[in-house]
């Protein structure tokens, strides 16, 4: 007798949703995704993929700015004019995002997943209603994402007052861009637009940019920002943003005013959980509206799981995808390990980039984690010298006695790639001795990782430098 295939319905097609659908299909389930905007979700269509495409162009602009120091002479001598074709830049960004969404849809469909293009909502704990069609399921996954927040007195209009999802419709490069918020999103866009040629003012309510990141790393980035001509306003909370003629007026809490041609609001994200039937299905949300889940993505209702930004659990595409996979492994009876957030590597795509994994410097400083700490500047790395790279470092945290790698921070070009060996070390319980005895290419930036590991070995187990 053949058992019926388990039915899985997924509400939302972002990384949490489509990765869950792929796992469920591979495990033999009958899977349906309900999504109105396109597979890949906001991550692919409006957020991560577009912003990193923009940043790739801005990083190239920065590299061109180093040409003279590398012995290269562009046309027009030492004062080359390298312009930005904003419509072409934005068209490329949107085209790449659409192409990536198409590729995901082709992959998901090719695995036998049914895709319903519609707005959906829970119709009880075991069904999703989509434009009059009810999809019944044994397992439901909610992956509806989040949307940018706005100021109470500063509503985006898509023309001068913008969220990060509205930048790519502009017909020009903002001449004077005021970025409100100095967290990850604000810092990334401030870095990119300053490199592309905008005069950027970054309004930070905290003492420094990137207040929740490694302090050493954040100070490097803020120093780079200021050297490149960015106006960084620390301890300056934006209270209101209004149109003023052909520009914007940003009013700060202390009464000061900042003007610009455009204003980008990067003041956090709100979960997209209203109006999707959570209360009717009995699914609990917290005081901020995020769906409450455990470490295997279960909600308060049996058979209903949630993944991604709508849960508020580390708003990263990699985390959303892992939450979705774990949900399906658990729901469909596979052996599964609960998500381990301490093993998540993350990157801030400023220029230079900041990548980190594992324990933080703040935790070490508070005495929560005993660790040996070594920080090596990239300026001593031969490959960095060849590329004219002066800013950045590699930092490793190791357990005293055993030398097990507990965490790391890399600041530099392609730090998002350089963090991988430290991520592997944490996941596989490797020691600094094992990293130190691993061959690295000479010359290479990754050589600083092995050098930092060797440096940790040189100090007594209780030494922190």
């Amino acid at each position: 007798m053949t058992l019926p295939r388990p039915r899985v319905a997924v509400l939302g097609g972002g990384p949490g949703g489509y990765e869950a659908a792929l796992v469920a299909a591979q495990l033999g389930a009958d899977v349906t995704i309900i999504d109105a905007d396109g597979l890949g979700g906001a991550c692919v269509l409006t957020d991560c993929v577009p912003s990193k495409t923009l940043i790739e162009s801005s990083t190239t602009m920065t590299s061109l700015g180093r040409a003279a120091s590398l012995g290269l002479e562009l046309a027009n001598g030492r004062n080359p004019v390298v312009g930005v074709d904003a419509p072409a830049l934005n068209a490329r960004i949107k085209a790449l995002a659409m192409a990536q969404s198409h590729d995901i849809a082709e992959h998901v469909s090719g695995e036998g997943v049914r895709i319903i293009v519609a707005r959906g909502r829970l119709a009880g704990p075991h069904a999703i209603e989509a434009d009059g069609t009810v999809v019944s399921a044994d397992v439901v996954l909610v992956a509806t994402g989040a949307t940018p927040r706005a100021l109470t007195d500063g509503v985006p209009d898509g023309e001068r007052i913008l969220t990060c999802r509205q930048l790519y419709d502009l017909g020009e490069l903002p001449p004077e861009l005021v970025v409100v918020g100095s967290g990850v999103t604000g810092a990334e866009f401030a870095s990119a637009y300053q490199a592309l040629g905008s005069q950027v003012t970054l309004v930070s309510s905290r003492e420094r940019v990137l207040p929740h990141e490694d302090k050493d790393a954040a100070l490097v980035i803020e120093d780079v920002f200021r050297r490149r001509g960015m106006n960084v306003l620390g301890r300056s909370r934006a209270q209101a943003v209004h149109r003023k003629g052909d520009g914007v007026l940003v009013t700060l809490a202390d009464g000061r005013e900042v003007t610009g041609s455009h204003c980008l609001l990067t003041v956090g994200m709100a979960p997209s959980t209203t109006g999707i039937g959570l209360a009717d299905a009995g699914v609990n949300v917290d005081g901020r509206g995020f769906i409450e889940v455990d470490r295997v993505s279960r909600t308060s209702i049996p058979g209903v799981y949630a993944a991604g930004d709508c849960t508020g659990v580390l708003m990263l595409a990699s985390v959303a995808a892992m939450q979705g996979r774990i949900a399906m492994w658990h729901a469909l009876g596979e052996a599964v390990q609960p998500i381990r957030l301490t093993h998540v590597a993350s990157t801030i795509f400023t220029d230079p980039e900041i990548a980190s994994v594992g324990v933080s410097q703040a935790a070490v400083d508070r005495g929560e984690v005993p660790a040996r700490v070594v920080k090596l500047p990239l300026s001593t790395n031969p490959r960095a010298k060849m590329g004219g790279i002066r800013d950045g470092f590699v930092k490793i945290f190791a357990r005293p006695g055993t030398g097990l790698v507990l965490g790391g921070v890399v600041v530099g070009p392609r730090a998002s790639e350089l963090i991988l060996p430290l991520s592997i070390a944490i996941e596989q319980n490797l020691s600094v001795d094992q990293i130190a005895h691993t061959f690295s290419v000479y010359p290479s930036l990754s050589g600083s990782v092995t050098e930092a590991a060797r440096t940790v070995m040189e100090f007594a187990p209780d030494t922190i430098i």
Side-chain angles (χ1 to χ4, degrees):
M1 179 179 177
T2 302
L3 295 175
R5 297 167 65 195
R7 299 167 301 167
V8 173
V10 178
L11 180 58
Y18 77 76
E19 288 288 350
L22 288 171
V23 167
Q26 290 161 4
L27 293 176
D30 180 359
V31 187
T32 301
I33 286 185
I34 297 93
D35 181 87
D37 300 319
L39 290 200
C43 171
V44 168
L45 291 167
T46 59
D47 293 350
C48 186
V49 169
S51 67
K52 278 47 180 182
T53 306
L54 173 77
I55 289 166
E56 195 66 32
S57 294
S58 71
T59 302
T60 300
M61 185 72 87
T62 301
S63 297
L64 290 172
R66 293 203 307 267
S69 68
L70 300 178
L72 303 176
E73 186 171 312
L74 302 178
N76 301 322
R78 293 190 175 273
N79 296 298
V81 178
V82 181
V84 175
D85 184 340
L89 175 66
N90 290 334
R92 177 176 183 267
I93 289 169
K94 290 190 283 188
L96 282 172
M98 291 299 296
Q100 180 69 10
S101 177
H102 175 76
D103 288 348
I104 294 169
E106 289 283 299
H107 183 195
V108 170
S109 179
E111 293 294 324
V113 176
R114 180 169 59 138
I115 301 171
I116 297 177
V117 181
R119 298 283 172 197
R121 66 187 311 276
L122 295 185
H126 295 291
I128 297 175
E129 188 273 328
D131 287 353
T133 299
V134 176
V135 179
S136 299
D138 305 298
V139 177
V140 168
L141 176 79
V142 180
T144 48
T147 56
R149 294 185 185 276
L151 296 178
T152 303
D153 194 5
V155 180
D157 60 14
E159 296 178 353
R160 296 287 171 177
I161 305 173
L162 308 156
T163 71
C164 59
R165 296 180 179 178
Q166 298 169 327
L167 286 166
Y168 314 112
D169 293 323
L170 295 178
E172 63 173 345
L173 185 73
E176 298 176 322
L177 179 64
V178 182
V179 179
V180 174
S182 64
V184 173
T185 303
E188 287 184 347
F189 279 108
S191 176
Y193 277 99
Q194 183 73 30
L196 289 171
S198 298
Q199 176 55 57
V200 174
T201 298
L202 181 60
V203 179
S204 173
S205 63
R206 309 295 286 273
E207 183 178 357
R208 57 179 170 84
V209 302
L210 298 168
H212 302 298
E213 307 303 323
D214 182 273
K215 184 176 180 179
D216 292 334
L219 291 176
V220 169
I221 297 304
E222 183 165 339
D223 179 60
V224 169
F225 282 0
R226 293 183 187 277
R227 290 202 326 257
R228 292 177 180 171
M230 189 183 301
N231 182 22
V232 180
L233 302 179
R235 296 181 178 177
S236 302
R237 183 176 296 278
Q239 183 169 289
V241 183
H242 296 106
R243 293 278 295 261
K244 183 179 180 181
D246 292 332
V248 294
L249 176 67
V250 180
T251 304
L252 306 182
D254 60 8
R256 287 177 294 159
E257 296 180 339
V258 180
T259 59
S261 61
H262 298 76
C263 177
L264 172 62
L265 297 174
T266 61
V267 290
M269 302 290 285
S272 299
T273 54
T274 59
I276 61 170
L278 294 175
D280 293 339
V283 176
N284 290 342
V285 297
D286 66 16
R288 299 173 299 161
F290 291 102
I291 299 173
E292 295 179 347
V293 294
D294 64 12
R295 292 175 61 205
V296 292
S297 304
R298 289 178 297 191
T299 71
S300 56
I301 298 299
V304 180
Y305 294 74
D309 289 357
C310 64
T311 69
V313 178
L314 278 187
M315 291 189 176
L316 298 172
S318 58
V319 172
M322 186 59 72
Q323 283 182 292
R325 296 185 199 109
I326 287 173
M328 292 301 104
W329 287 326
H330 183 271
L332 299 175
E334 294 292 304
V336 63
Q337 186 174 59
I339 194 167
R340 294 182 292 182
L341 298 178
T342 56
H343 289 206
V344 176
S346 62
T347 298
I348 302 167
F349 290 88
T350 47
D351 185 7
E353 296 177 355
I354 301 174
S356 58
V357 65
V359 304
S360 67
Q361 182 72 63
V364 173
D365 292 343
R366 291 192 297 264
E368 298 171 4
V369 181
R372 285 180 279 162
V373 185
V374 161
K375 185 179 75 170
L376 291 185
L378 274 188
S379 58
T380 63
N381 178 289
R383 185 67 180 272
K385 292 177 182 178
M386 295 170 193
I389 299 164
R390 296 178 299 160
D391 301 299
F393 60 80
V394 172
K395 181 190 289 189
I396 293 180
F397 305 92
R399 188 178 299 282
T402 64
L404 288 178
V405 178
L406 299 176
V409 181
V410 180
V411 180
R414 305 298 183 190
S416 50
E417 312 290 347
L418 295 173
I419 199 67
L420 181 61
L422 297 179
S423 295
I424 293 173
I426 291 172
E427 184 67 30
Q428 300 300 323
N429 292 316
L430 302 181
S431 68
V432 288
D433 301 52
Q434 289 169 303
I435 294 178
H437 287 91
T438 301
F439 284 98
S440 62
V441 171
Y442 182 89
S444 68
L445 295 182
S446 60
S448 286
V449 176
T450 54
E451 183 181 357
R454 290 194 298 273
T455 305
V456 177
M457 293 173 59
E458 295 173 5
F459 291 89
D462 58 349
T463 302
I464 298 177
I465 66 172

